[in-house]
Amino acid sequence: MSEFVRVARVGDIKPGSGKTVYLGATPVALFNVAGQYFAIHNSCPHEDGPLGEGTLCGCVVTCPVHAYEFDVTNGECLTESAYRVEQFEVRVEGDDILLRPSAEG
Ligand code: FES
């Protein structure tokens, strides 16, 4: 089973915002929803827009390219149900935010 990897520190991402971090070579969009962290793949499944640069409202991020909306808590696309983004498991240890690599990567 993959080990968790430190990708950011608590305080790097303010509540209601997100940031692109890297898990090895994989870009991940990490969000702070009212103090709880969620991570999904950074690439929008529509045309690879950077979801980590999207606007977060509640638990929904809006892709900055064509404004498709994704629930960051489960990776589901609210605009087009055929789309879904990969999720990553998040753990907070002290001041560190850690992610677990997916099985594929
Ligand atoms: S690239 Fe994200 S909505 Fe088109």
Side-chain angles (χ1 to χ4, degrees):
M1 182 177 287
S2 302
E3 297 296 322
F4 280 85
V5 176
R6 177 187 176 280
V7 294
R9 290 179 71 79
V10 169
D12 286 351
I13 308 164
K14 296 190 177 0
S17 69
K19 175 184 171 121
T20 305
V21 298
Y22 286 87
L23 187 55
T26 305
V28 176
L30 180 61
F31 298 98
N32 181 337
V33 179
Q36 205 175 345
Y37 295 93
F38 297 93
I40 57 176
H41 199 289
N42 191 55
S43 296
C44 177
H46 180 226
E47 290 184 7
D48 291 331
L51 294 176
E53 296 173 25
T55 303
L56 186 67
C57 184
C59 63
V60 175
V61 65
T62 301
C63 178
V65 181
H66 307 105
Y68 281 27
E69 295 181 327
F70 295 84
D71 185 333
V72 304
T73 68
N74 57 22
E76 289 180 4
C77 181
L78 307 178
T79 310
E80 170 54 67
S81 61
Y83 289 136
R84 181 182 194 85
V85 241
E86 180 183 2
Q87 279 186 282
F88 296 88
E89 200 176 336
V90 183
R91 178 188 285 175
V92 176
E93 287 182 358
D95 284 340
D96 294 330
I97 303 172
L98 305 97
L99 301 182
R100 193 207 293 273
S102 62
E104 310 89 68

